[in-house]
Amino acid sequence: MSLLGAIEAGGTKFVVAVAPVEEPEKVIARESFPTEDGATTVKKVQEFFDQYEDIAAIGIASFGPIDVKPDSATYGYVLDTPKRGWSGYNFLGAMKSWRDIPYYWTTDVNAAGWAEYVSGAASDVENVVYLTVGTGVGAGIIANGQFVGGYSHPEAGHIVMAKHEKDTYEGLCPFHYDRCLEGLAAGPAMEERWGVSAKELPDDHLAWEIEAYYLAQAALTYTATLRPERIVFGGGVPHRENLLPMVRESFAEQLHDYLAVPDLDDYIVSVGNGDNAGIYGCFYLAKDMISD
C-alpha cells in the first residue's frame, strides 16, 4: 500500500503520521515528541518513517520563518529563529538526504489552512484566511486556490495593532512588544498579562473582551486588504466557545458598515478539522506532489 507522510513541525512539539494515498484522512500511525534542536528532532522524524518503505511523498509543515522560495540558496532552511538549534538548519535538505522522494515544504499555518480549504470549514470557498492563535499567531492565506506569498510567506501574526483602551500590557513579542498581534493576543501573552493560562480565565473576565478586540481588529485588517470569503480561526485560544461570538460583535463595531461582508456567522468561523488540520494539510499537499 502506497503511503503519504506528514510532518507537523511545531516550536513546542512535532507530530508525524502516515496515511494511505487514496484515503488521506485515514491515519494509520501517528506519533508526537517534544521539539529539540534541528538535528536531534529530525533524526526522530526519520526513525519514525524508517518503519515504512512505501512512502510516496511527505508534506512538511514547519514553524517559521522558513525559506519557501525554490530558487533561493537557502530554500528548505529554517531562518533566524529564537528556537535554539534551528536557525540556519537545512530541514528539507536533511529529509532529502535521508530518502529521495517528493516533499511539499511550507509553513505550519499554510498546511492547516489548506486542510480547511480542502475538507474543513472553508471547503466551499476559494479565498480564505486561516488564523491560528496559540503559542504564536500566524496565518495561512489562500486566494483563488493558491497560497499567498511573494518574497516569502506571510507573517500575518505581526501586523501592527491599535491597543485596547483598557489594556496596559507591555507585550510579549521580542521584536514589536505591544505593537503587534502576536505580542498582544497569543496564548503566552494572555498568560503573562493575567497571571494564569487562558483555560483558567472565566468567560466574563475582561481578558476575553480584550482578546476579541484584537482578533476582530486583525480580521478587519485581513478583510480590508485581502477580501477573503471566509476567515477561519484555529489554535488553542479560539477553543473557548464564548470567544468567536465576541469577535464577530467587535468586528461589526470596528467595521462600522464600511464594507459588505457575508453573514458574520458564516464569515468568521471555527476550524473544521480540529487538531487534525495540520496533519491533513500535509497529506493533501503531499498527494498533490504525486498527482501532478
Side-chain angles (χ1 to χ4, degrees):
M1 177 173 57
S2 187
L3 300 173
L4 299 169
I7 305 171
E8 187 178 10
T12 303
K13 71 174 181 178
F14 267 53
V15 180
V16 289
V18 292
V21 170
E22 299 307 319
E23 297 180 273
E25 297 87 3
K26 185 179 180 180
V27 179
I28 293 173
R30 178 182 182 134
E31 186 176 316
S32 66
F33 40 82
T35 304
E36 301 176 71
D37 64 272
T40 301
T41 308
V42 170
K43 183 178 179 181
K44 291 183 178 180
V45 169
Q46 294 166 351
E47 288 172 349
F48 170 81
F49 289 118
D50 278 336
Q51 303 172 81
Y52 307 97
E53 293 294 330
D54 298 327
I55 299 177
I58 294 177
I60 305 175
S62 177
F63 67 90
I66 60 176
D67 191 337
V68 294
K69 294 180 68 176
D71 59 349
S72 170
T74 54
Y75 173 67
Y77 283 64
V78 178
L79 303 176
D80 289 338
T81 173
K83 191 68 180 174
R84 183 174 297 178
W86 283 95
S87 290
Y89 181 70
N90 188 359
F91 191 162
L92 181 58
M95 292 304 299
K96 287 183 173 180
S97 295
W98 164 77
R99 193 177 294 184
D100 188 17
I101 58 176
Y103 295 89
Y104 196 103
W105 167 250
T106 192
T107 63
D108 48 0
V109 285
N110 268 358
W114 193 255
E116 292 304 297
Y117 171 72
V118 173
S119 65
S123 60
D124 59 334
V125 298
E126 289 296 311
N127 302 277
V128 58
V129 173
Y130 168 82
L131 186 73
T132 185
V133 187
T135 304
V137 179
I141 302 169
I142 298 166
N144 299 316
Q146 301 291 325
F147 287 127
V148 170
Y151 181 78
S152 187
H153 55 82
E155 281 290 308
H158 292 270
I159 57 174
V160 175
M161 306 295 289
K163 287 190 72 172
H164 189 282
E165 62 182 5
K166 300 177 184 177
D167 190 11
T168 59
Y169 179 54
E170 296 180 355
L172 190 70
C173 177
F175 300 97
H176 310 119
Y177 307 102
D178 65 347
R179 301 193 304 276
C180 78
L181 176 61
E182 181 171 293
L184 291 167
M190 293 189 73
E191 183 168 354
E192 184 175 83
R193 181 194 279 110
W194 304 111
V196 297
S197 72
K199 293 179 181 179
E200 300 175 72
L201 293 166
D203 286 352
D204 60 353
H205 197 284
L206 174 63
W208 298 112
E209 176 187 329
I210 291 175
E211 184 73 4
Y213 173 81
Y214 290 135
L215 297 184
Q217 186 181 158
L220 177 59
T221 297
Y222 305 141
T223 296
T225 55
L226 299 166
R227 300 310 307 271
E229 296 167 273
R230 189 158 298 143
I231 298 175
V232 180
F233 280 90
V237 173
H239 281 179
R240 181 62 69 96
E241 291 186 3
N242 69 308
L243 181 58
L244 281 195
M246 296 177 70
V247 172
R248 296 184 188 107
E249 181 179 358
S250 182
F251 177 88
E253 291 174 358
Q254 294 183 56
L255 184 66
H256 204 64
D257 296 325
Y258 175 61
L259 296 171
V261 296
D263 178 82
L264 291 186
D265 287 339
D266 189 52
Y267 183 61
I268 297 174
V269 302
S270 296
V271 63
N273 283 312
D275 293 336
N276 288 319
I279 289 296
Y280 285 174
C282 288
F283 288 147
Y284 297 149
L285 292 166
K287 186 174 182 178
D288 287 344
M289 297 293 290
I290 58 177
S291 299
D292 292 343

